[in-house]
């Protein structure tokens, strides 16, 4: 049987009838002891096939008697909170928001339940404007709920991305929570970051590239698909091969988009909002990022923010400088600050003028430190536990000069050389504390080559003497006895080594200073048997920098394995590196 084109027997009836009295009458009857309509009301609200019009009608009635919905009606309210309102018409969403606003205003006992219900819908994507119906006083209750409902970091990228997106939108409605929410998000991202080491990401990319090449070779000659493949390549979104890094990449993209949106209005930088966000992110940096060893990517959030305005980059450098020189800070944090300082100066394209000022500060502090050791009347010794911040500061200077010496010398070679000579690097290198013995061999070797080229300071005699006094360390933790040399006693890492994530990497690419091989090959002879150009390689830290003839240097085999460990430092080899 069909009526007006509808199959009457096989189609469920359209529900337009409701049973029982109004909500107000039902509550009065329930108070008198008659619960029949009350139970019927809960049953109808729990109907999975409830229509939009019915939901709006019920909510309007609940709003009219919200003052009567005390804790005695807790089960009824929980039934209302389970209504399937997400994905409904805009009218249902607006009515539901109005109901929540009235309910938490009149009956604060339901505040946490309402917040939990809203947060539970953060994945999949929920229009987060529903948070606007809660007052600012909810922040005390909301933060524990946001932490409790954060998806496990092994969840899919989409789930994590949706939740973080909504967390960041909460900050637009409740600005007082922004610092705590950023801390929550970055804390979770750091867990992903340290779980995906640079070596693991590189290996995953290499395996994915090899698999892709095999697939292309197997399909070659079968069909003429050049046009289709080019169309696919243009529309394809780059995906990081490592699964943990891919989840981190998705969150980095969301957080960087948020940073850009907060700091810009109509395409122009909003200075006050940018300063406020910088202060919040810097607080999270001090609490979480700086103490975290060997994180690879999360710190780029501040790198990206500082690129918006030179004053921000200078403020960040000044902050790191204060941490480094403060004797009240733990030595491990001072050393980490030095690592960030040197890496930021070397890699940030947007601070060309600031480099000299920072080098002047660092060298001034280093010389004062040497003065204090010389005037103490005691024989200074090479002891990292006593002088860790000093060695970290020296390495930051060497690393910065390796990357920035060309910019200092180009244009006016004479003035550039006069500036380098004014730094009195020879005193630093020749002092009793012997920083060349502690710094990474790759940094030491390249610094020695550059300073020798420009005849600023000669390091090879000291390097040769240090190599003769390096004692091997016998270790058996790696399965059997092995004799190795600890070439990273500072436990150094350079936090702004090349960015390996593909999706968010396009934002870092134009801001990033890559390593450029020295042009004068005569002063840096290539080792025998090594062929080909390394002009595009972004890492001199792979341990293959050649030593001038007649000089005994640290051989690559003595420290290359250490640099390729998960806790290593330095940029990826060229084979694994994405071109920036």
């Amino acid at each position: 049987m069909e009526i007006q084109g509808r199959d009457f027997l096989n189609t469920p009836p359209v529900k337009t009838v409701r049973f029982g009295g109004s909500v107000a009458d039902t509550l009065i009857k329930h108070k008198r002891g008659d619960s029949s309509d009350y139970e019927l009301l809960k049953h109808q609200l729990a109907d999975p096939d409830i229509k939009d019009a019915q939901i709006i009608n019920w909510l309007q009635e609940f709003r009219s008697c919200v003052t009567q919905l005390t804790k005695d009606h807790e089960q009824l309210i929980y039934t209302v909170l389970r209504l399937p309102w997400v994905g409904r018409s805009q009218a249902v969403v607006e009515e539901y928001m109005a109901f929540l606003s009235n309910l938490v205003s009149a009956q604060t006992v339901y505040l946490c339940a309402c917040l939990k219900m809203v947060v539970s819908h953060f994945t999949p994507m929920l229009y987060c404007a529903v948070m606007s119906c809660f007052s600012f006083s909810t922040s005390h209750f909301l933060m524990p709920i946001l932490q409790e409902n954060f998806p496990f970091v092994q969840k899919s990228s989409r789930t994590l991305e949706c939740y973080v997106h909504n967390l960041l939108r909460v900050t637009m409605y409740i600005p007082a929570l922004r610092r705590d929410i950023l801390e929550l998000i970055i804390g979770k991202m750091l867990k992903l970051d340290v779980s995906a080491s640079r070596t693991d990401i590189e290996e995953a990319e290499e395996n994915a590239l090899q698999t892709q090449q095999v697939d292309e070779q197997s399909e070659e000659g079968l069909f003429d698909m050049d046009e289709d493949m080019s169309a696919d390549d243009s529309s394809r979104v780059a995906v990081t091969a490592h699964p943990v890094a891919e989840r981190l990449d998705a969150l980095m993209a969301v957080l960087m988009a948020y940073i850009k949106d907060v700091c810009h209005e109509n395409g122009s930088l909003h200075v006050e909002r940018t300063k406020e966000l910088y202060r919040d992110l810097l607080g999270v940096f001090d609490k979480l990022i700086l103490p975290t060893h060997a994180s690879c990517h999360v710190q780029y959030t501040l790198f990206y923010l500082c690129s918006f305005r030179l004053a921000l980059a200078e403020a960040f450098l000044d902050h790191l400088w204060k941490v480094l020189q403060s004797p009240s800070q733990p030595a491990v944090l001072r050393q980490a600050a030095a690592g960030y300082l040197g890496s930021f100066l070397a890699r940030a394209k947007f601070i060309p003028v600031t480099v000299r000022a920072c080098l002047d500060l660092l060298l001034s502090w280093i010389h004062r430190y040497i003065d204090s050791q010389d005037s103490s009347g005691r024989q200074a010794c090479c002891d990292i536990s006593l002088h860790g911040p000093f060695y970290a500061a020296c390495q930051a200077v060497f690393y910065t000069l390796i990357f920035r010496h060309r910019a200092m010398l180009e244009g006016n070679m004479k003035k550039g050389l006069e500036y380098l000579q004014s730094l009195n690097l020879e005193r630093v290198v020749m002092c009793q504390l012997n920083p060349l013995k502690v710094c990474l061999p790759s940094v030491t070797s390249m610094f020695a080559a550059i300073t020798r080229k420009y005849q600023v300071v000669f390091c090879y005699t000291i390097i040769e003497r240090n190599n003769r006094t390096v004692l091997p360390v016998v270790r058996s933790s790696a399965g059997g006895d092995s004799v190795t040399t600890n070439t990273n006693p500072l436990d150094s890492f350079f936090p702004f080594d090349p960015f390996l994530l593909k999706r968010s990497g396009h934002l870092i690419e134009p801001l990033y200073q890559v390593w450029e091989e020295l042009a004068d090959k005569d002063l840096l002879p290539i080792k025998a048997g090594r062929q080909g150009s390394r002009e595009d390689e972004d890492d001199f830290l792979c341990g293959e920098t050649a030593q001038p003839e007649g000089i005994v240097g640290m051989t690559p085999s003595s420290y290359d394995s250490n640099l390729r460990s998960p806790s290593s430092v330095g940029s990826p080899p060229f084979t694994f590196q994405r071109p920036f």
Side-chain angles (χ1 to χ4, degrees):
M1 179 188 302
E2 293 189 3
I3 299 178
Q4 296 179 349
R6 184 168 68 87
D7 188 345
F8 183 82
L9 296 178
N10 297 323
T11 305
V14 178
K15 298 185 179 181
T16 57
V17 180
R18 52 177 284 185
F19 301 95
S22 65
V23 173
D25 293 340
T26 301
L27 294 177
I28 293 174
K29 287 184 178 180
H30 179 70
K31 189 175 182 179
R32 295 173 180 171
D34 184 1
S35 299
S36 57
D37 286 355
Y38 192 83
E39 295 300 324
L40 182 60
L41 174 60
K42 289 197 295 183
H43 179 74
Q44 293 181 86
L45 289 171
D47 186 354
D49 298 323
I50 191 170
K51 306 300 180 184
D52 286 12
Q54 291 173 300
I55 294 177
I56 293 173
N57 186 33
W58 288 123
L59 293 176
Q60 288 174 346
E61 292 192 27
F62 275 110
R63 287 176 60 194
S64 65
C65 55
V66 71
T67 55
Q68 303 175 43
L69 299 174
T70 61
K71 190 171 176 59
D72 296 335
H73 302 289
E74 188 175 25
Q75 293 302 317
L76 177 61
I77 293 301
Y78 287 166
T79 303
V80 178
L81 293 180
R82 286 193 293 268
L83 279 172
W85 61 279
V86 177
R88 299 271 182 168
S89 65
Q90 185 64 26
V92 172
V93 174
E94 291 177 355
E95 189 63 41
Y96 201 87
M97 290 169 59
F99 164 72
L100 290 178
S101 180
N102 289 3
L103 179 65
V104 298
S105 298
Q107 306 290 345
T108 56
V109 68
Y110 297 118
L111 176 60
C112 286
C114 292
L115 290 172
K116 287 181 180 179
M117 181 275 299
V118 172
V119 173
S120 69
H121 290 293
F122 275 13
T123 53
M125 191 74 73
L126 166 69
Y127 182 57
C128 200
V130 70
M131 296 303 303
S132 62
C133 67
F134 299 105
S135 65
F136 293 123
S137 60
T138 64
S139 58
H140 177 71
F141 302 95
L142 179 59
M143 205 57 223
I145 296 172
L146 296 177
Q147 294 171 345
E148 179 184 346
N149 285 270
F150 201 104
F152 185 55
V153 291
Q154 296 300 324
K155 290 286 188 179
S156 68
S157 297
R158 179 61 179 168
T159 300
L160 293 169
E161 185 178 355
C162 289
Y163 194 83
V164 168
H165 175 87
N166 279 301
L167 282 182
L168 293 172
R169 293 196 66 175
V170 169
T171 67
M172 310 300 288
Y173 299 101
I174 311 179
L177 282 182
R178 183 167 70 184
R179 166 73 181 275
D180 292 333
I181 288 177
L182 287 173
E183 187 177 315
L184 171 61
I185 293 172
I186 289 176
K188 299 294 184 179
M189 291 171 64
L190 281 171
K191 290 183 178 180
L192 291 170
D193 203 358
V194 298
S195 299
S197 69
R198 194 171 288 276
T199 303
D200 292 341
I201 297 174
E202 293 161 3
E203 290 177 354
E205 290 296 330
E206 181 188 23
N207 294 335
L209 181 60
Q210 291 176 350
T211 302
Q212 181 182 355
Q213 291 174 346
V214 170
D215 292 342
E216 289 176 355
Q217 291 174 359
S218 63
E219 295 177 0
E220 185 177 356
L222 295 179
F223 302 99
D224 186 7
M225 301 176 62
D226 290 343
E227 295 182 0
D228 295 337
M229 291 177 66
S230 62
D232 292 342
D233 291 341
S234 61
S235 60
R236 187 181 302 164
V237 178
V239 177
T240 305
H242 193 282
V244 177
E246 192 270 332
R247 289 192 285 271
L248 176 63
D249 196 5
L251 300 189
M252 287 290 293
V254 172
L255 186 53
M256 287 184 175
Y258 170 80
I259 291 172
K260 182 178 180 180
D261 289 345
V262 169
C263 297
H264 292 82
E265 185 175 12
N266 299 325
S268 300
L269 187 69
H270 194 291
V271 177
E272 288 304 317
R273 290 211 305 250
T274 302
K275 287 181 180 178
E276 292 172 1
L277 180 59
Y278 168 78
R279 284 191 286 266
D280 287 339
L281 274 176
L282 189 65
V284 179
F285 172 83
D286 285 340
K287 185 174 182 179
L288 297 180
I289 300 178
L290 184 62
T292 301
H293 180 68
S295 61
C296 301
H297 299 98
V298 175
Q299 55 267 24
Y300 272 93
T301 52
L302 261 171
F303 186 93
Y304 179 60
L305 176 60
C306 289
S307 70
F308 295 164
R309 191 178 177 89
L310 181 58
L312 293 176
E314 292 175 344
F316 182 54
L317 289 168
D318 182 65
H319 179 75
L320 293 171
W321 163 244
K322 289 177 180 177
V323 175
L324 169 62
Q325 68 168 346
S326 173
S328 62
Q329 293 283 355
V332 64
L333 291 185
R334 296 174 67 188
Q335 291 175 216
Y340 272 93
L341 195 61
S343 193
F344 192 84
L345 287 172
R347 295 295 195 173
K349 274 186 177 180
F350 44 87
I351 55 166
V353 181
T354 314
V355 174
R356 287 197 179 191
C358 291
L359 283 176
D360 290 339
L361 281 174
L362 282 169
L363 266 303
S364 176
W365 183 83
I366 288 171
H367 285 301
R368 289 198 305 271
Y369 195 96
I370 296 174
D371 290 338
S372 68
Q373 295 300 310
D374 292 343
S375 62
S376 65
R378 298 189 302 270
Q379 179 70 26
C381 59
C382 184
D383 191 337
I384 297 172
S385 61
L386 292 177
H387 310 294
F390 168 80
Y391 292 121
C394 291
Q395 183 164 269
V397 170
F398 300 160
Y399 189 75
T400 302
L401 288 173
I402 288 169
F403 276 84
R404 297 292 189 172
H405 70 278
R406 279 182 173 174
M408 295 176 182
L409 297 172
E410 66 184 7
N412 193 326
M413 177 69 74
K414 182 179 179 180
K415 287 187 176 180
L417 288 176
E418 288 177 354
Y419 172 73
L420 290 180
Q421 290 168 354
S422 70
L423 298 177
N424 199 3
L425 294 170
E426 184 174 4
R427 183 181 185 230
V428 176
V429 169
M430 302 289 290
C431 73
Q432 297 181 31
L433 294 175
N434 195 0
L436 293 181
K437 186 175 183 179
V438 175
C439 295
L440 283 170
S442 47
V443 174
T444 300
S445 300
M446 187 59 69
F447 174 74
I450 291 171
T451 53
R452 177 183 183 273
K453 174 181 178 179
Y454 297 105
Q455 300 183 20
V456 176
V457 60
F458 295 92
C459 305
Y460 288 111
T461 303
I462 300 173
I463 293 175
E464 181 181 0
R465 184 177 70 239
N466 290 339
N467 290 343
R468 289 198 298 264
T469 59
V470 170
L471 296 177
V473 179
V474 179
R475 299 185 304 181
S476 59
S477 59
D481 293 339
S482 60
V483 180
T484 62
T485 302
N486 182 11
T487 58
N488 187 14
L490 275 175
D491 202 17
S492 308
F493 85 105
F494 297 99
F496 297 113
D497 268 351
F499 196 86
L500 302 180
L501 306 180
K502 294 183 176 180
R503 179 175 167 185
S504 51
H506 73 281
L507 296 172
I508 303 301
E509 176 183 344
L511 313 173
Y512 192 77
Q513 177 66 49
V514 298
W515 165 245
E516 297 176 356
E517 184 67 29
L518 292 177
D520 194 345
K521 301 298 182 182
D522 294 332
L523 294 177
L524 286 174
I526 302 300
K527 287 187 176 182
R530 179 162 180 83
Q531 302 294 331
S533 172
R534 291 176 47 162
E535 291 180 356
D536 295 328
E537 185 166 348
D538 187 68
D539 189 14
F540 65 88
L541 295 179
C542 61
E544 296 179 354
T545 301
Q547 303 290 345
E549 294 180 4
I551 300 299
V552 179
M554 187 73 77
T555 60
S557 60
S558 65
Y559 59 87
D560 186 61
S561 60
N562 176 271
L563 294 179
R564 294 302 307 277
S565 67
S567 61
S568 66
V569 299
S571 312
F574 176 63
T575 309
F576 308 123
Q577 177 190 315
R578 285 197 313 111
F580 270 174

